[in-house]
Every structure is written in structure tokens, then in C-alpha cells.
Amino acid sequence: MAETKRTRRSPEEMAAARAEKEAALNQKIEQFETAIRELEEKKEASAAGFDAKIAVIHAKIEKVQKQKEALLAPKKPAAKKAKKPGRKPAKKRRTQTVKIQEMVKQARKSGMKLEEIAEKLGIEIEE
């Protein structure tokens, strides 16, 4: 077998080779850093988009909270409506029992005693 000796490189050649490799690696690092900057820009843009969507949802939540508070708050008495001119007020409906009780009250106020009222009505009171 024929022996071939490896040729030795000079220190300048080795330094040049190292410089080429270093330049190639620096170029790759720059490409990666550029890719990172682009991704961060996309991230900021999408984050801004999501922030806008979140703000819209927060506004909806506040609106629903106000509706909830209005629902749970005690109701204020409504202001009375002004009566229309020329309209008679509605009469209260009374049962027959209420009417009889009112008649007895009026008779007692006029000074009649219970026995007198019963006598006029033709009723006998048992004691």
C-alpha cells in the first residue's frame, strides 16, 4: 500500500478556514434572529387582536352586570299618572258583606244601639 501523507496546512490557512466557518455560523445566527423578530411581531399583532376581542367581551360583561343589578335592586314606586280631565275615578268594588258592615257602622255612628238596629231589621238577637 502506498502511504500518502497528509499535507499540513499552514496557520494562515487554518485561520482562514476558521474565519469562513465563523462567518457561515454568524450568517445562520442572523437568520435565526430575523425569524425570531418576525415571530415576535406576529405575536404582538395577534396579541393586540386578542386584546381587542377581550375588551369587547368585558364591555358585554359590564352591560349584563348592569342588567343584573337593575333586576336585583328594589323597585322604586312608580310616579302616579296625571288624571285625564273629564274622566271619573274608578269605583272600588265591594262585596255584599263589606256593604252590610259599612251600614252597621253608619247606624252605630248615628247613635243607634245594636238592639235598635236589629229591631228595625226585624231580627231577634240571642244573648
Side-chain angles (χ1 to χ4, degrees):
M1 263 179 66
E3 287 187 36
T4 55
K5 287 189 174 183
R6 193 175 81 144
T7 57
R8 287 193 158 252
R9 294 185 296 166
S10 67
E12 293 85 21
E13 290 175 338
M14 287 192 290
R18 261 189 261 140
E20 287 177 17
K21 285 184 181 180
E22 184 181 0
L25 292 176
N26 284 339
Q27 188 179 8
K28 282 187 179 182
I29 289 171
E30 272 186 49
Q31 289 175 350
F32 290 140
E33 288 176 349
T34 305
I36 288 173
R37 280 193 295 271
E38 289 174 359
L39 290 173
E40 286 186 1
E41 288 174 4
K42 286 182 182 179
K43 176 182 170 183
E44 289 175 10
S46 65
F50 283 115
D51 288 341
K53 289 179 182 179
I54 289 170
V56 169
I57 293 173
H58 278 298
K60 289 179 182 179
I61 288 172
E62 289 176 14
K63 182 179 176 183
V64 172
Q65 286 287 358
K66 287 179 183 177
Q67 289 176 349
K68 178 183 171 185
E69 289 173 8
L71 179 69
L72 297 177
K75 302 209 182 219
K76 296 179 182 176
K80 292 186 177 182
K81 295 180 181 177
K83 294 181 181 180
K84 293 182 181 177
R87 189 169 185 191
K88 295 180 182 177
K91 293 182 181 177
K92 292 184 180 178
R93 295 183 183 237
R94 299 177 297 173
T95 62
Q96 191 172 8
T97 308
V98 173
K99 289 178 184 178
I100 292 171
Q101 289 173 349
E102 288 177 357
M103 285 186 342
V104 171
K105 279 184 187 178
Q106 285 178 354
R108 300 246 357 226
K109 280 184 181 179
S110 67
M112 294 177 75
K113 294 187 180 181
L114 191 58
E115 292 82 20
E116 293 174 343
I117 297 171
E119 185 181 315
K120 294 237 178 183
L121 293 173
I123 302 172
E124 291 184 25
I125 300 176
E126 297 179 16
E127 293 184 26

